[in-house]
Amino acid sequence: MLSNGSAQLVRSRELARTAADSATDVLHPLITITRGLRRLAAAGRRRWAETPKERRGALLFLVASVFLVVALVPYGPLLAAITLMAAAAWQGRERAAAAPDGPDESQTERLKSLYEALLPYFSSAEDPEPLYAHVGAWDKAFPTYAFDAGGRISHLVVRYPAYFADGEADARARIEHLLAAKSGRGREYHFMWDEEGNQLTVSVLMPLAVDIAAQRFVTAPGEIVLGFTDHTRVQRTLPLTCGEQRRDVPPVIWRTGLRSTEPHLLALGRPGSGTSTLLRSIALQALQHGDVVIVDGGGTGEYACLTGRDGVLAVECGLAGVLASLEWAAHETERRLIAINRAHQAGHPPPDDTKRPLWILLDRPTAFTHLAAADDRKDPQPLLQVPLRHGRLANVTVVVADQLDSLETLGEPVRHHTRARVVLGPAAAGQLESVLGAPPHTTPVDEVPPGRGYARLGTGPVHRLQVPATPHPYDDATTDTHRQAVLDLLPPRTTPADGEKVPQPTDGEPELAEPVPEPASEPEPAEPEPVPVLTKPTKT
């Protein structure tokens, strides 16, 4: 009986709820009109209360005249009733909640504190009408503002007086540091100074994508993709594949070759910032159209995957091999210059062996400087003077990557002829300006992912940069997706001469390519893999 009673009670409630919903749907127009009439009556009462007493008589006479005219006009009462119902329906409609016209209390306090913090920098005692004063209004100084979901400032336009020294770098730096600190740390802000309009626009930059792996980029010969940046800084995009998605991302492209104004590159960063990743990415792109000589000063085998590949002339980790390779590179540059000069004098095009680009990639060359000084041998860095000075005409490109603290140890030719600069990892504003030649328009942060930094090509603007993920494929910490992406870009191994064998991966080492079949003749005794020796050309 209890169960039957509870079931009947539930059924009765459902029936009552259904009947109420049906009645609401049927009577919805009447409810809307009634709500509108109530709002019109309330508005009429407010209007009557706001009217002064001496004008109420005239208002009553006007209302009575309107009623009289409506009553005398044919079909006047009917038209008046229809108009009243339409107005009531319009006033009684359900309205969405209106957004607040101004900031809430917490946002107002944040803007007030920011206004008071800028007061010492933008105020002057001689100003008759100061924009920034202790009793001033912040809404005049901040005409445009926006907040994110967390209540922090995401966009702000700051007006400042005309006598502020906005042309001085120190004055700008103080204001930018203050705004970044007061608006919330841990984010990158972009500052755009309008000196003509005396306005500063502050906007929060979105983090750059870190999930872009190494791949074949749609570029012309001689174009190297250093990384990717913001949409507002460049006017070109590249189609990329990110997992199963395809999207267009703005790149930072470094153009090399005969018509390049920045033929050589210098990349600096702290340990673990991604300079070796940048060199691997450049090497994989350069091998599509040229030859590469790699100097590994770290000695950790970061470029072992390139050993024995087509187009890789040498991967040197020892001082003797580095000296031999760089001497050969200097002589090769001279030989190309002589051949090109003779062809120009004879009215012929340059020889084909001078058109193939030659890349010299050096990772931490300052390590060999200390080794050479300890062994009383020649420093390898002076050997880069000829490729750096004349490499553009001979299709020779030099890329140097080293630690940020070793900038003073680099030779004068390296610092003077590398006009394309990259700084990766956390760095102070003064260090960025000293390396790039100009301060960035964003605030550097203390914690950044590997491969994040800034790039500047010659005298161009400073770009935010995110290097594509190009890890060492033999590293155990590398994900399978990124490892396979690098392995797919590696060129095949060099075809061995008769009687030689391609070095096969040992037990536990991942196989990078299909093994080359051995000749049908009897196998010769295994010999150690010969070290590639670069033959010096005879100097004319």
Side-chain angles (χ1 to χ4, degrees):
M1 294 177 62
L2 293 177
S3 60
N4 294 335
S6 59
Q8 291 179 358
L9 181 60
V10 171
R11 191 179 301 107
S12 302
R13 289 179 178 178
E14 292 179 356
L15 291 175
R17 188 180 298 108
T18 304
D21 295 339
S22 302
T24 303
D25 295 337
V26 173
L27 300 177
H28 183 268
L30 182 60
I31 295 174
T32 302
I33 294 175
T34 304
R35 188 189 305 118
L37 291 175
R38 187 172 62 254
R39 291 177 179 176
L40 290 176
R45 286 196 301 269
R46 288 195 303 269
R47 179 66 176 174
W48 178 261
E50 293 174 358
T51 304
K53 293 182 179 181
E54 60 273 9
R55 295 183 180 180
R56 291 181 178 179
L59 181 61
L60 287 175
F61 178 76
L62 178 61
V63 172
S65 301
V66 171
F67 276 107
L68 180 61
V69 171
V70 170
L72 296 177
V73 172
Y75 303 104
L78 179 60
L79 295 177
I82 294 174
T83 304
L84 180 62
M85 293 299 104
W90 177 260
Q91 290 293 331
R93 72 187 188 280
E94 296 180 356
R95 303 175 183 178
D101 297 336
D104 55 18
E105 184 177 356
S106 62
Q107 296 173 355
T108 302
E109 291 297 330
R110 185 179 290 271
L111 292 173
K112 284 183 179 180
S113 63
L114 189 59
Y115 177 83
E116 295 175 358
L118 293 173
L119 181 61
Y121 301 96
F122 290 155
S123 62
S124 177
E126 292 79 10
D127 192 352
E129 296 180 359
L131 181 61
Y132 290 82
H134 291 285
V135 293
W138 59 266
D139 53 350
K140 295 182 179 180
F142 307 143
T144 305
Y145 51 84
F147 294 86
D148 56 10
R152 297 194 297 178
I153 296 175
S154 60
H155 181 77
L156 182 66
V157 176
V158 180
R159 295 179 55 197
Y160 57 87
Y163 52 78
F164 175 72
D166 52 3
E168 300 179 1
D170 295 339
R172 286 188 176 191
R174 288 193 294 267
I175 299 300
E176 293 175 0
H177 178 74
L178 175 63
L179 290 175
K182 292 295 183 180
S183 300
R185 298 185 182 272
R187 300 185 297 175
E188 291 186 80
Y189 296 90
H190 178 260
F191 301 95
M192 185 174 62
W193 292 83
D194 183 9
E195 299 180 5
E196 296 182 359
N198 298 325
Q199 287 187 354
L200 169 61
T201 303
V202 185
S203 56
V204 178
L205 296 176
M206 297 298 294
L208 297 177
V210 296
D211 57 344
I212 301 176
Q215 53 191 281
R216 293 296 182 198
F217 303 116
V218 184
T219 56
E223 292 183 347
I224 300 297
V225 177
L226 300 179
F228 305 95
T229 184
D230 303 299
H231 288 273
T232 58
R233 305 298 296 173
V234 296
Q235 300 179 354
R236 176 180 176 181
T237 59
L238 289 180
L240 301 178
T241 302
C242 301
E244 298 180 355
Q245 299 179 354
R246 294 186 62 86
R247 56 185 177 181
D248 295 337
V249 182
V252 178
I253 294 182
W254 172 40
R255 294 175 175 85
T256 61
L258 295 175
R259 293 176 176 82
S260 174
T261 57
E262 302 85 21
H264 308 294
L265 175 71
L266 174 62
L268 299 175
R270 302 186 183 278
S273 59
T275 53
S276 299
T277 299
L278 176 61
L279 254 65
R280 271 192 300 271
S281 176
I282 294 176
L284 293 176
Q285 298 179 61
L287 286 173
Q288 300 182 50
H289 308 285
D291 299 326
V292 174
V293 176
I294 300 176
V295 174
D296 185 8
T300 57
E302 291 285 339
Y303 309 95
C305 59
L306 297 172
T307 304
R309 300 288 177 175
D310 286 348
V312 181
L313 303 182
V315 179
E316 299 293 346
C317 302
L319 180 58
V322 170
L323 290 173
S325 298
L326 294 184
E327 287 179 0
W328 175 86
H331 288 296
E332 175 66 12
T333 305
E334 294 176 354
R335 184 196 67 81
R336 291 189 177 199
L337 289 175
I338 294 173
I340 292 173
N341 187 23
R342 288 178 178 177
H344 288 170
Q345 290 179 357
H348 299 297
D352 294 337
D353 58 350
T354 62
K355 295 181 180 180
R356 185 171 176 82
L358 175 62
W359 293 76
I360 305 174
L361 308 181
L362 300 97
D363 191 358
R364 295 191 61 187
T366 55
F368 295 106
T369 301
H370 298 295
L371 291 177
D375 296 344
D376 197 13
R377 302 183 67 176
K378 183 169 58 174
D379 186 6
Q381 291 194 54
L383 298 174
L384 295 173
Q385 184 172 2
V386 174
L388 286 170
R389 186 182 296 273
H390 307 288
R392 183 175 65 87
L393 300 177
N395 285 325
V396 178
T397 305
V398 180
V399 180
V400 180
D402 214 312
Q403 294 186 4
L404 191 60
D405 300 335
S406 303
L407 178 60
E408 301 298 331
T409 314
L410 292 173
E412 183 63 26
V414 175
R415 291 181 293 173
H416 181 70
H417 293 285
T418 52
R419 301 183 67 251
R421 300 292 181 89
V422 173
V423 179
L424 299 179
Q431 292 178 325
L432 292 174
E433 186 175 0
S434 63
V435 175
L436 302 176
H441 295 286
T442 61
T443 54
V445 294
D446 297 334
E447 297 181 1
V448 293
R452 177 71 58 83
Y454 296 90
R456 189 187 186 204
L457 305 178
T459 58
V462 180
H463 300 278
R464 284 203 309 165
L465 181 71
Q466 177 62 51
V467 179
T470 315
H472 179 39
Y474 295 165
D475 190 359
D476 296 337
T478 304
T479 61
D480 295 338
T481 303
H482 291 167
R483 179 186 292 109
Q484 190 61 39
V486 176
L487 294 178
D488 293 341
L489 297 178
L490 289 175
R493 291 193 179 273
T494 304
T495 303
D498 294 340
E500 296 182 357
K501 294 182 179 180
V502 177
Q504 299 295 332
T506 59
D507 295 337
E509 180 180 358
E511 185 174 354
L512 301 181
E514 295 182 358
V516 179
E518 298 182 359
S521 60
E522 296 181 4
E524 297 182 3
E527 296 180 1
E529 180 185 358
V531 179
V533 179
L534 303 178
T535 306
K536 298 181 182 179
T538 305
K539 186 175 181 181
T540 306

